[in-house]
Amino acid sequence: MKWIAVITISLLSTFNTLILKSIQKRYINNRTDFFIFIFYLNFFQSIGLLAIPPYTKLSFFKESLYLGIAYGVTILVYYLFMMLALSAGPLVLTNSVLALYPLIPIFYGLLFWQETLSILIIIGLALFIYSIFNLTNATYYDQKTEKKIELRWLIFVLIAFLCSGATSVFAKQHAIIRPDNSREYLLVCRWVNMLISGLLCLIARKKCAAVSHKKQSEKMYFSVLSTDKERTQCSSHLDIFNPNKIFLLFCFLNGVLMAIANTIFMQVVTRYASAFFFPTTQALSIIFTFFFSRIIFKEFLSKEALKGYILIIAAVILISIG
């Protein structure tokens, strides 16, 4: 039962990552597409949160509101830079670096939660820093095309990493203050994301309609806008009021997978030792992503990148155990 739970959670996490990569490759053409994605992603996650028992009355306290809003804004920034990282670099390395997010709550805990820093965490941190430097000169293969790991990928993934760690801080802080209101807290986060992304989509839609009308009044076609920036921002693959059905299916699957994974996680997390459970699930997720990215997206790592990948796995295990 123990290994079934661990492998199931790891696989669900991996499939969720693969879905996000597929959405990025197929549907995210510009910022408008991204915010439409965020809107529907949080819409289905909200449904999942409301559908999972127990079915009790919702009570929104001020802590759930301000921490939920902070979480919502931060996770929005996380998804933005995570998607940028997926578009600029390999899936397996992006997922591996993001798996090290516990570093942020660990250091926050040193300052504010009276927690301690073990020698294993220090070694894991050193491995992480060394692996990042090792990756700056590495290459990978995407559909048999050799690509160098760019500095912009590293910047994108590190910003996403910091945001992911910050959301863990908000979540734990809320759990300390309001342990019985996690559903309300998570719902506030989702609704904040839906509100921000929905408003930005409508603003972009109105702006593009105004540009189109102006060009048509000047007897010019919409496809020959005056600047490349206008053309890119207005040539969205998605429509918030009439989204692609496959895109909706991907968002629905993402919400379902996350709901199932979180439910299993909450049921088994207290049954097993943290020293086994956390490093094993994270390491297996990274390994599963490594193999599925080769099969589905035809991504292959060079020797230098593979070395960095192995060091990151070691860092994840040491930090989780520590």
Side-chain angles (χ1 to χ4, degrees):
M1 180 62 186
K2 176 172 66 175
W3 280 104
I4 292 176
V6 168
I7 292 173
T8 301
I9 292 172
S10 301
L11 279 173
L12 290 173
S13 176
T14 301
F15 293 151
N16 175 60
T17 303
L18 294 171
I19 289 172
L20 292 178
K21 177 69 174 181
S22 298
I23 291 174
Q24 178 270 313
K25 289 179 72 72
R26 296 187 184 190
Y27 301 107
I28 307 300
N29 182 54
N30 52 37
R31 283 175 295 181
T32 303
D33 290 336
F34 169 76
F35 288 118
I36 293 173
F37 155 70
I38 290 295
F39 179 87
Y40 281 104
L41 180 71
N42 284 275
F43 172 75
F44 286 115
Q45 288 181 16
S46 296
I47 292 176
L49 286 169
L50 293 171
I52 296 174
Y55 304 110
T56 56
K57 182 180 178 181
L58 297 175
S59 300
F60 293 92
F61 296 92
K62 63 178 182 179
E63 294 85 359
S64 298
L65 292 175
Y66 71 75
L67 285 172
I69 291 171
Y71 186 109
V73 173
T74 305
I75 202 69
L76 182 62
V77 178
Y78 161 77
Y79 272 114
L80 173 61
F81 283 95
M82 185 266 289
M83 284 295 190
L84 289 172
L86 288 176
S87 66
L91 167 64
V92 62
L93 292 182
T94 300
N95 189 52
S96 300
V97 173
L98 295 178
L100 288 161
Y101 73 88
L103 278 174
I104 306 301
I106 285 171
F107 282 105
Y108 185 89
L110 289 175
L111 299 175
F112 301 101
W113 294 328
Q114 289 76 51
E115 296 178 349
T116 58
L117 192 65
S118 71
I119 187 64
L120 289 178
I121 292 176
I122 295 174
I123 295 173
L125 177 59
L127 282 177
F128 172 55
I129 295 173
Y130 177 73
S131 66
I132 291 299
F133 281 111
N134 187 75
L135 288 174
T136 55
N137 294 317
T139 60
Y140 68 101
Y141 295 86
D142 185 359
Q143 300 289 344
K144 298 182 179 181
T145 302
E146 185 176 12
K147 297 181 178 180
K148 188 179 186 303
I149 294 178
E150 302 177 15
L151 178 61
R152 68 189 184 105
W153 170 81
L154 184 59
I155 294 172
F156 294 154
V157 77
L158 287 179
I159 293 176
F161 157 76
L162 291 172
C163 289
S164 180
T167 59
S168 299
V169 172
F170 298 143
K172 184 166 182 176
Q173 189 65 43
H174 184 271
I176 293 171
I177 301 172
R178 293 287 180 184
D180 298 325
N181 295 97
S182 60
R183 189 198 300 258
E184 290 85 348
Y185 162 75
L186 293 172
L187 283 171
V188 170
C189 163
R190 269 64 189 176
W191 293 340
V192 166
N193 273 268
M194 289 176 65
L195 177 62
I196 295 174
S197 57
L199 286 175
L200 289 173
C201 285
L202 293 176
I203 291 171
R205 182 187 177 96
K206 185 175 181 180
K207 181 179 178 181
C208 289
V211 171
S212 176
H213 178 73
K214 179 181 177 181
K215 296 304 172 184
Q216 288 175 356
S217 67
E218 296 172 356
K219 297 182 179 180
M220 295 176 63
Y221 290 103
F222 179 65
S223 60
V224 287
L225 296 174
S226 57
T227 66
D228 290 337
K229 183 178 180 180
E230 285 179 329
R231 186 183 303 113
T232 301
Q233 291 305 314
C234 293
S235 58
S236 297
H237 289 172
L238 301 171
D239 185 342
I240 191 169
F241 295 115
N242 187 28
N244 180 282
K245 292 181 180 179
I246 302 299
F247 165 76
L248 279 183
L249 177 61
F250 278 144
C251 290
F252 172 76
L253 287 175
N254 177 275
V256 170
L257 291 177
M258 291 187 69
I260 295 173
N262 288 333
T263 301
I264 297 175
F265 176 85
M266 295 303 295
Q267 291 175 349
V268 304
V269 67
T270 57
R271 299 182 188 177
Y272 312 118
S274 296
F276 163 80
F277 187 76
F278 289 104
T280 305
T281 52
Q282 289 184 336
L284 280 177
S285 178
I286 294 173
I287 292 170
F288 287 147
T289 302
F290 175 80
F291 287 106
F292 281 111
S293 67
R294 292 170 68 95
I295 296 171
I296 298 174
F297 301 114
K298 310 300 180 185
E299 290 184 354
F300 299 88
L301 302 180
S302 65
K303 290 182 179 179
E304 293 83 3
L306 186 60
K307 178 182 176 182
Y309 166 77
I310 293 172
L311 289 173
I312 289 173
I313 292 180
V316 168
I317 295 173
L318 289 173
I319 291 168
S320 300
I321 294 175

